[in-house]
Amino acid sequence: MRTQVAIVGAGPAGLMLAHLLSLEGIESIVIESRTRAYVEQRVRAGVLEQGTADLLDATGVGARMRSEGLVHHGIRLRFGGGDHRIDFGALTSGRGIIVYGQQEIVQDLIAIRLSAGHPILFEVSDVRLRDIETPHPSVSFLLDGAAMTIECDVIAGCDGFHGVSRDSIPDGVLRAYEREYPFAWLGILASVAPSSEELIYCYHELGFALLSMRSPTVSRLYLQVPADERIGDWPDARIWEELQTRLAAGAWSLAEGPIIEKGISAMRSVVVEPMQFGRLFLSGDAAHIVPPTGAKGMNLAIRDVSILSDALTAFFRSGDATLLGAYSTSCLRRVWRAQHFSWWMTSMLHRFPDSDASQARLQLAQLAYTVDSRAASTSLAENYVGYEWTTT
Ligand code: RFL
Ligand code: PHB
């Protein structure tokens, strides 16, 4: 097989890149190790920055997001028994977010690609990237037990944090910046109407809690738990009890319902630099992951591939590799801004195992300032809806 761009991974990054390239008339083949049903059902992110939603709209894949997604113009910060609103609309000249599940975007992107007759090869295994330092790289893999090879001009490594692309780059090329957090998030999906119209980020002496949602009838809730916690130790009744305690505020009450899904996710920050080697370009979680407190991971993945698509368009149209050469630097400015914001939100809202009484007072002082000062609220708001750089 031959194509212009071989895309490894059918998550938001790989599928969006394939979509953007096809709009520019650039051919690609997407390979994915899981089944179509698995990637279409994997529950993960839920918050789209304004710019991400605008990009989906502008490229013809936003119709269902517009009809089913929930537009929000603020979030709530809950601490010390009080509830405070950060008004994105007022603080960012009308910008906002859309709550729309990552798996819905994945479904929309798969549908548009398959209906145009472009390939996605699911359930591939033994994926290997070859000759990435030359102008003629290739990807070999097994499909239904048969050995296949894609010859291409460029490989996009969009295979997430546990993929093979990053590790195909020779030792000594990449520098990794890593930070592990000493806690994890236990997340549930529950069939119950969300008890708040907007997301609630809650600081509590027992640990962080988050109320989010997927639709008017489905709630998504998270609890900070110790890093080595096992889901088996959390029967449904214990989860609800803990959520009730942490999220309690005055007369407000949290409605409970059947838990449809539950799981525990580790919290880490990782960035590798540069995000490119030879003809291999890393995008999304393959190059960087953030703790979920800032809701940035999927948004960064989509921004990376938007930058990559522009650079590949210039390259294939005129042979001009200037933008491709700048790819890593262009992405990393946004990546590090999001890393900082996610670290800041995480540090302000979680209980650290080694924290003392003064640490808790410092967190509460920062929260109080964040909701009281217009400058501090604006900083949170403009980062949450997606910070747009004013300089190049
Ligand atoms: P993905 O989604 O992991 O997709 C990578 C794909 O590559 C496949 N793959 C391979 N395919 C072929 N060959 C191989 N050798 C392969 N190895 C792997 C995988 O099967 C998969 O289909 O990466 P991508 O596209 O970069 O997208 C990144 C996002 O998924 C991720 O950043 C977000 O989910 C993070 N995240 C959030 N991001 C947000 O923007 N807003 C949020 O509200 C938000 N909440 C979250 C989150 C992540 C969470 N978890 C589970 C860590 C909440 C949570 C709890
Ligand atoms: C979610 O709805 O899954 C979600 C929302 C906000 C976050 C993280 C996850 O910060």
Side-chain angles (χ1 to χ4, degrees):
M1 281 184 278
R2 153 122 213 119
T3 192
Q4 289 173 288
V5 184
I7 301 176
V8 186
L15 291 167
M16 188 65 185
L17 178 63
H19 175 58
L20 295 173
L21 293 177
S22 83
L23 294 176
E24 299 294 344
I26 298 169
E27 271 180 31
S28 64
I29 298 176
V30 182
I31 61 168
E32 164 60 49
S33 53
R34 303 286 192 157
T35 63
R36 176 176 177 184
Y38 183 91
V39 298
E40 288 192 337
Q41 263 132 54
R42 186 165 41 196
V43 178
R44 278 195 174 175
V47 173
L48 308 186
E49 293 176 350
Q50 176 88 46
T52 307
D54 292 347
L55 184 67
L56 294 176
D57 267 339
T59 59
V61 75
R64 206 162 63 91
M65 169 194 76
R66 283 288 164 202
S67 67
E68 295 177 20
L70 310 168
V71 177
H72 288 190
H73 285 103
I75 54 166
R76 295 186 169 269
L77 291 183
R78 193 167 276 187
F79 55 94
D83 196 55
H84 311 265
R85 181 164 192 256
I86 304 286
D87 185 340
F88 297 159
L91 296 166
T92 67
S93 318
R95 293 170 73 77
I97 53 165
I98 300 191
V99 178
Y100 187 62
Q102 174 169 325
Q103 77 274 26
E104 310 295 336
I105 295 183
V106 164
Q107 287 166 25
D108 296 343
L109 287 167
I110 289 177
I112 205 164
R113 180 161 180 89
L114 295 182
S115 69
H118 298 310
I120 305 176
L121 308 178
F122 289 99
E123 294 182 79
V124 302
S125 58
D126 202 14
V127 175
R128 287 165 208 238
L129 277 47
R130 301 187 192 279
D131 302 324
I132 54 175
E133 68 287 5
T134 76
H136 305 290
S138 63
V139 182
S140 65
F141 54 93
L142 296 177
L143 179 64
D144 291 333
M148 322 264 284
T149 298
I150 304 173
E151 314 278 350
C152 55
D153 300 304
V154 167
I155 302 174
C158 303
D159 47 353
F161 188 61
H162 301 288
V164 296
S165 297
R166 193 177 57 250
D167 290 342
S168 309
I169 296 177
D171 287 350
V173 172
L174 299 181
R175 170 143 191 214
Y177 298 84
E178 298 183 50
R179 176 168 291 203
E180 293 271 337
Y181 291 89
F183 39 74
W185 275 19
L186 186 161
I188 63 163
L189 263 190
S191 295
V192 57
S195 299
S196 164
E197 277 183 21
E198 294 178 333
L199 274 70
I200 303 174
Y201 285 78
C202 177
Y203 173 87
H204 191 276
E205 59 188 20
L206 295 174
F208 171 73
L210 170 62
L211 182 155
S212 180
M213 65 244 9
R214 285 295 175 273
S215 73
T217 55
V218 176
S219 298
R220 176 87 167 136
L221 295 130
Y222 296 97
L223 284 171
Q224 174 188 349
V225 294
D228 53 1
E229 199 76 344
R230 286 184 322 209
I231 196 71
D233 292 334
W234 285 86
D236 295 2
R238 181 178 176 203
I239 295 175
W240 285 117
E241 199 182 311
E242 194 67 24
L243 285 166
Q244 294 286 6
T245 308
R246 294 192 197 177
L247 285 165
W252 180 87
S253 75
L254 174 67
E256 300 182 12
I259 295 182
I260 320 165
E261 195 193 282
K262 58 181 168 183
I264 292 182
S265 326
M267 303 267 286
R268 284 196 202 94
S269 301
V270 181
V271 180
V272 299
E273 295 185 7
M275 291 168 55
Q276 178 237 342
F277 175 71
R279 287 290 179 93
L280 169 62
F281 294 82
L282 302 175
S283 299
D285 279 17
H288 42 72
I289 48 173
V290 281
T293 328
K296 291 286 162 243
M298 176 172 58
N299 293 292
L300 285 179
I302 301 247
R303 286 302 177 115
D304 286 354
V305 297
S306 156
I307 293 171
L308 185 55
S309 166
D310 288 346
L312 288 170
T313 303
F315 177 67
F316 285 115
R317 286 232 174 101
S318 60
D320 183 352
T322 317
L323 289 179
L324 273 184
Y327 168 72
S328 185
T329 314
S330 307
C331 293
L332 283 168
R333 182 154 84 144
R334 203 177 174 87
V335 166
W336 278 109
R337 176 87 293 282
Q339 285 289 355
H340 182 274
F341 177 65
S342 307
W343 163 82
W344 177 75
M345 288 282 279
T346 304
S347 312
M348 179 169 70
L349 287 162
H350 290 72
R351 291 308 301 259
F352 286 71
D354 56 357
S355 78
D356 54 13
S358 47
Q359 181 65 24
R361 283 283 185 276
L362 289 170
Q363 288 173 307
L364 286 166
Q366 180 63 27
L367 281 161
Y369 174 63
T370 300
V371 298
D372 194 69
S373 149
R374 190 174 175 92
S377 308
T378 304
S379 175
L380 192 159
E382 70 184 5
N383 279 282
Y384 200 95
V385 302
Y387 186 66
E388 303 296 342
W389 290 86
T390 56
T391 52
T392 50

